[in-house]
Amino acid sequence: MTTRLAMLIAAAVAAGSAQAGMDEDARGVGLYGDLWRPDPVHEYWDPGAYHRPETEAVEGVFTGAECVECHADVTPGIVNGWRDSRHAAPGDGAEPVTCAACHGADHRALRFPTPTDCGACHGEQHEQMLDERRYGFPSHALAMERAVDTKHFVDKPKPEVTACLACHSVATKCDSCHTRHRFDAAEARRPEACLTCHSGPPHPDDETYFDSAHGRRYLAEGGTWDWSKPLVKGNYPVPSCAYCHMREGRHQVADKAIWKFGLRDVNPRTAENTVKRRRWIAVCTDCHGESESVAWLRALDNERKRAWRLLDEAEDLLRDLRADDLLYPAAGERPPYPVDWWERFWPRARIGFHEGQASAFYNVSGIERRYFEMWYFESLGAYKAAAHGADAQVAAGHADLRRALDDIRREAEALRELTAAERAAGKRVDPAPLWRAGAYTDLNRERN
Amino acid sequence: MTTRLAMLIAAAVAAGSAQAGMDEDARGVGLYGDLWRPDPVHEYWDPGAYHRPETEAVEGVFTGAECVECHADVTPGIVNGWRDSRHAAPGDGAEPVTCAACHGADHRALRFPTPTDCGACHGEQHEQMLDERRYGFPSHALAMERAVDTKHFVDKPKPEVTACLACHSVATKCDSCHTRHRFDAAEARRPEACLTCHSGPPHPDDETYFDSAHGRRYLAEGGTWDWSKPLVKGNYPVPSCAYCHMREGRHQVADKAIWKFGLRDVNPRTAENTVKRRRWIAVCTDCHGESESVAWLRALDNERKRAWRLLDEAEDLLRDLRADDLLYPAAGERPPYPVDWWERFWPRARIGFHEGQASAFYNVSGIERRYFEMWYFESLGAYKAAAHGADAQVAAGHADLRRALDDIRREAEALRELTAAERAAGKRVDPAPLWRAGAYTDLNRERN
Amino acid sequence: MTTRLAMLIAAAVAAGSAQAGMDEDARGVGLYGDLWRPDPVHEYWDPGAYHRPETEAVEGVFTGAECVECHADVTPGIVNGWRDSRHAAPGDGAEPVTCAACHGADHRALRFPTPTDCGACHGEQHEQMLDERRYGFPSHALAMERAVDTKHFVDKPKPEVTACLACHSVATKCDSCHTRHRFDAAEARRPEACLTCHSGPPHPDDETYFDSAHGRRYLAEGGTWDWSKPLVKGNYPVPSCAYCHMREGRHQVADKAIWKFGLRDVNPRTAENTVKRRRWIAVCTDCHGESESVAWLRALDNERKRAWRLLDEAEDLLRDLRADDLLYPAAGERPPYPVDWWERFWPRARIGFHEGQASAFYNVSGIERRYFEMWYFESLGAYKAAAHGADAQVAAGHADLRRALDDIRREAEALRELTAAERAAGKRVDPAPLWRAGAYTDLNRERN
């Protein structure tokens, strides 16, 4: 045994210079896949699309016992994880689920499991996740395709969209939420399972949950609770993410979402939302009185109504500037998305989400970018704070929204004055050469 | 039993459309209560002022045992909390304190307990909290009334002041710090009990404590300490919030405060402060040498002295601008607080805390707002960092203070140049119509 | 005993007004020590340089048992710590290491131990730390001297550099990482041991580790792991800081650093870095496949390459402005570092790290400061995020880098226009009087 082990390790070391298995000339997946290239790490975020087995790996076809024997020395952490899992000891006389079940047995043709692989055994959960697609985006099930199929994905600087896919991979692999190789539901019930992705702008779920009374109590005492219990009322003093968003462990988080992540100004009282409101209140009343639950949901409605009033005012300011041709660069002076080649001839400036402006970080005027950030950062932050009961952050978020509106109002006035002065002096510059072909545009698109 | 339970649940479900019990046309409390309206959630933040029993609730007068029997199914979390509490098993042969003691027994006349209710049994703690009023504001005891009795409360946009009251409710209910319904002192001794409110600007106690050596050790090891022990020296390796601020559990945090939350430039060596300094050092010397304790307090003095030198310089710049009539809008060109109607005739611009400018977020010039934020955010953040021993944040805070002073200095110069140019060109605009009656002002006041 | 104890306590209380032992007129250490004065707390951050025994302390020469007898009442926390330490019970029949071994026995000549003191017994660890000096700065071993021996240390406002030394004291005392007086390796293996210093800009190790999948799992479960185990593979489900950076507990963190804290644009494939890359990959492959480990390191390379392209573009913009004499103040118009007196005659503007601009917070033009912050805050934050696997922060960091480049580009254009207009109007102002002798410069240097 020792000899064989040593041989395998030697082989592994010899392979030290091996590159990632992904094809060197791999192209992106999705609608615009011809226009961008994946980074090496994408292989691990979307294994179904990019993973290629390592042809220089140790050769052989192994049983689970053989895998474990060798990897207990090479990578003991994952073997320990598996040994602690139900896969190793399913009970009821069932056979253990060993390495080959998920990775294959041929060491030069190993794969990383996709949700479909996991769904072969865990069909109910997989079905539930896929069911989210009915509710549209944002949802976990559509996270990857709606990311790479957006036009700005092709256009945005690579480091940002690459990093975005790390979390959007929740749609293409199950270990975004579940620890490999232990896969214990007790882990996934805790907030940390969700927060590797759900933190920071534009979705500070981490920061707002932990600042709430719920989160504080979890932080102080959660380490001592018995997380093997199911997520039903009476089992936990306060809810974790999954308690409210994955009712009784259901792998579908979309059927309770009224405000759509805070992205849209919705009517919270549509027929569909009235049904969702009942689901929402039903969660709260596991612990709270119904009147109190209703009052908090109305507080969220009020927060959104007030936020959108500010956003609408900012958007109106921008539309007025556009109408008076004061945006710089204007549509037609900046590059259209590569995929919107016809906009070279019929340029169209989009302002705000409803006109289809899903991203305005780049190649837009400063004031448009400021508005985009007001919507995507300040407003979404305030929304999450209100939804999670982090009131100090609601206050801070609305102060920030006001500051953004102030900035935009002042900038709009300055633009009016500046342009008037420039026109009077006859020295208005055509920005098109700078934006459409300059260093900035080139930099954005380079190596996508 | 089962039948009756089912009936009660059915009744509760039927009441699903019930609104909060608060009167629909409730007016605010406090000096300016006629000028603003509470949000529905206020009922739960200041129950003494706003709570009205639910008239559509299940009818009946119940014993504690009956309450528990039903609510163990309806809301088991709070029943579990109560069962773990000393209220359920006070020991020494005393009778349990059951639901009716705090909420009443008539299910259509239930109340939420106020500090006075809790004080009926916990008189010592209640007296201690009320004693804070002697020391003025900031203090817990005055948190609610000093919030709603400020003039800017009426004037500021609703989402911000509403959210502020969530924490200022510490004066009007005891479960801001204590978990309902367990009320275990072991919980309140831990920092998380305080930090639902004490986080974020302008009071980053959370962020600064946890970045200190004290906080780091708590984070690593605090979960294993025996929190049932009283807060006296030798019982804990590092202090929590309550250890230093609520000496031996005393519910009075005001008698050690020298720097008044960082809000004021105080003389740290007044007779009163000399007494407070001894109390402060006495806490530190539970664990540290006296010389070291003195050195750290002097480090805080130095930090404050240096911060105030920067704030004073910024304030001087603003006063000079005011003297030269360069602020835009100036006092008289913007709306006075609604309650200061006489300032329509005798307008008075306030710059800085000592002139009574407790809030300058709104309806002020950009440079005044920048100064207000420098004082309220950057300076207070640096103070908390110095007081809690989070030195990296002291450095960052002072870098931010310098940046703010830079911004203000540059803006002041620009204002001087711009105004000179405008005056030379004879085109100085009167801002009064914009600020006093424009969309901005209306937006602020709407629906208060 | 009780009588004697009471006497000692009385004596301690009488000494209540004692100042820190540090000489009142102490001068700074290091190259520029004549130009700045330490704050009182420096005594505890660099005891070898500043500590002076308290001459008013209780008099006497005490055995360890006597120290403990008295201090168990006076400061029980540290006595408890010591009792839990291996110092108190080294095993194998060895004598306990008592108070006097580290502090001395004469109560009026007590000292605080330096790394050399600790190294007398823990020679291997001390040697390892000193060995970091071979790799230059940043490193723990050079943290203090490279801080106080920089020219900007003398020039920067005191509150910032004072606070910086709190953490840079890692070179001058061992309890920056180890809790006094327990000194348990089990504590130092946990991330919190490192994060009192390694948090916030410019080194958000805290924020990026805890946002990674590694950190999240530590947060959820780390409290239950057996930290007495050594840091070798298989012992922990995820790595802590020390696992990767202090391989098997070695007190030398510099031999794996390729990117030098993100400060420099390095060639990651030099002969030296190729060796370091193997060390890096060797750590990852404790748990991960080699191809995946290589892919992640390449993702870091890509992140850096993309960040430096943005930084280079910003630096070029500044160099162009300098070439055209558009920076305000220019070199020669602002004060040189006090120690660079010859630059009064041969002024030299430095732009960027490679020209020796290690700090450009102060006495520089706004656009230079913006670039400095882009490099020191945005870029370093993105680097740490990429290195620790916090992808959401990589995305945010690069959005911030782009925003900074936008700001700089717009400001550069505005400077060109403004200066052209000023020159045309013949009213270009000489900034030298303002910057070289004005309030700003005085404020910076005051009381250093």
Side-chain angles (χ1 to χ4, degrees), chain C residues 286-298:
Chain C
D286 278 6
C287 298
H288 298 278
E290 188 176 4
S291 292
E292 185 174 0
S293 307
V294 169
W296 279 95
L297 184 50
R298 283 177 61 197

Side-chain angles (χ1 to χ4, degrees), chain B residues 220-289:
Chain B
E221 306 172 11
T224 66
W225 300 339
D226 177 4
W227 290 93
S228 69
K229 292 183 183 176
L231 295 168
V232 295
K233 73 179 176 182
N235 279 349
Y236 297 91
V238 295
S240 65
C241 311
Y243 188 96
C244 296
H245 291 281
M246 301 180 73
R247 203 89 174 107
E248 301 183 13
R250 204 154 60 93
H251 280 53
Q252 202 267 63
V253 305
D255 70 352
K256 196 172 67 68
I258 297 166
W259 283 101
K260 288 288 177 189
F261 225 70
L263 291 165
R264 299 188 205 159
D265 186 10
V266 306
N267 175 353
R269 302 281 185 180
T270 60
E272 181 182 339
N273 277 337
T274 301
V275 174
K276 288 181 173 175
R277 293 178 83 84
R278 281 200 209 108
R279 288 192 190 118
W280 187 301
I281 299 299
V283 174
C284 302
T285 50
D286 277 6
C287 297
H288 298 278

Side-chain angles (χ1 to χ4, degrees), chain A residues 125 141 160 177 219 281 297 312 332 346 385 440 443:
Chain A
Q125 288 79 6
E160 290 170 52
C177 314
L219 286 174
I281 299 298
L297 184 50
D312 286 345
W346 296 280
Y440 189 62
L443 192 65

Side-chain angles (χ1 to χ4, degrees), chain C residues 161-243:
Chain C
V161 289
T162 287
C164 290
L165 294 193
C167 284
H168 282 253
S169 70
V170 70
T172 49
K173 62 194 188 59
C174 293
D175 65 358
S176 291
C177 313
H178 296 278
T179 65
R180 54 167 101 110
H181 292 78
R182 193 168 166 201
F183 296 103
D184 190 341
E187 292 175 324
R189 287 178 185 125
R190 299 183 71 158
E192 287 85 358
C194 310
L195 298 179
T196 308
C197 292
H198 285 268
S199 71
H203 36 50
D205 300 294
D206 173 0
E207 297 82 351
T208 52
Y209 172 75
F210 284 129
D211 267 11
S212 74
H214 291 155
R216 293 291 177 191
R217 190 157 176 192
Y218 169 79
L219 284 175
E221 306 171 12
T224 66
W225 300 338
D226 177 4
W227 291 93
S228 69
K229 291 184 183 175
L231 295 168
V232 294
K233 73 180 176 181
N235 279 350
Y236 296 91
V238 295
S240 65
C241 311
Y243 189 95

Side-chain angles (χ1 to χ4, degrees), chain A residues 219-277:
Chain A
L219 286 174
E221 305 172 13
T224 65
W225 300 339
D226 177 4
W227 290 93
S228 69
K229 292 182 182 174
L231 295 168
V232 294
K233 72 179 176 182
N235 280 350
Y236 297 91
V238 295
S240 65
C241 311
Y243 188 96
C244 297
H245 290 281
M246 301 181 72
R247 202 91 174 104
E248 301 182 14
R250 205 155 60 92
H251 280 53
Q252 203 266 63
V253 306
D255 70 352
K256 197 173 65 69
I258 298 166
W259 283 101
K260 288 286 178 191
F261 226 69
L263 291 165
R264 300 187 205 162
D265 186 11
V266 306
N267 175 354
R269 302 280 187 181
T270 60
E272 180 182 341
N273 278 337
T274 301
V275 174
K276 288 181 173 177
R277 293 177 84 83

Side-chain angles (χ1 to χ4, degrees), chain B residues 216 220-221 290-291 298 402, chain C residues 16 19 54 187 190 444:
Chain B
R216 293 291 177 191
E221 306 172 11
E290 188 176 3
S291 291
R298 283 177 60 198
R402 283 288 171 141
Chain C
Q19 293 298 316
E54 287 184 54
E187 292 175 324
R190 299 183 71 158
N444 270 4

Side-chain angles (χ1 to χ4, degrees), chain B residues 210-222 224-225 232-237 269 278 281 284-300 302-303 305-307 309-310 313 389-406 409-410 413 417 421, chain C residues 12-13 15-21 24 39-41 44-45 54 73-78 80 112 157-160 162-164 166-167 179-182 187 190 192 195-201 203 206-207 210 218 223 328 361-362 364-366 369-370 373 422 427 434-435 439-440 443-444 446-447:
Chain B
F210 284 130
D211 267 11
S212 74
H214 291 155
R216 293 291 177 191
R217 191 158 176 191
Y218 169 79
L219 285 174
E221 306 172 11
T224 66
W225 300 339
V232 295
K233 73 179 176 182
N235 279 349
Y236 297 91
R269 302 281 185 180
R278 281 200 209 108
I281 299 299
C284 302
T285 50
D286 277 6
C287 297
H288 298 278
E290 188 176 3
S291 291
E292 184 174 359
S293 307
V294 169
W296 279 95
L297 184 50
R298 283 177 60 198
L300 177 61
N302 285 344
E303 185 282 324
K305 198 169 58 181
R306 289 158 180 163
R309 213 181 302 154
L310 301 177
E313 200 187 330
D391 288 279
Q393 291 192 45
V394 175
H398 274 261
D400 287 344
L401 279 166
R402 283 288 171 141
R403 188 170 235 314
L405 182 56
D406 259 25
R409 184 181 289 114
R410 287 181 216 275
E413 278 186 63
E417 288 204 26
Chain C
V13 170
S17 60
Q19 293 298 316
E24 277 294 309
D39 264 9
V41 281
Y44 304 93
W45 297 342
E54 287 184 54
D73 287 284
V74 179
T75 52
I78 63 175
N80 292 344
F112 289 96
K158 201 53 175 290
E160 290 170 52
T162 287
C164 290
C167 284
T179 65
R180 54 167 101 110
H181 292 78
R182 193 168 166 201
E187 292 175 324
R190 299 183 71 158
E192 287 85 358
L195 298 179
T196 308
C197 292
H198 285 268
S199 71
H203 36 50
D206 173 0
E207 297 82 351
F210 284 129
Y218 169 79
Y328 176 97
F361 280 124
Y362 302 108
V364 294
S365 61
R369 178 172 179 155
R370 189 70 200 84
E373 293 179 346
E422 283 185 350
K427 62 176 195 123
L434 172 69
W435 289 88
Y440 189 63
L443 192 66
N444 270 4
E446 203 175 323
R447 283 189 56 75

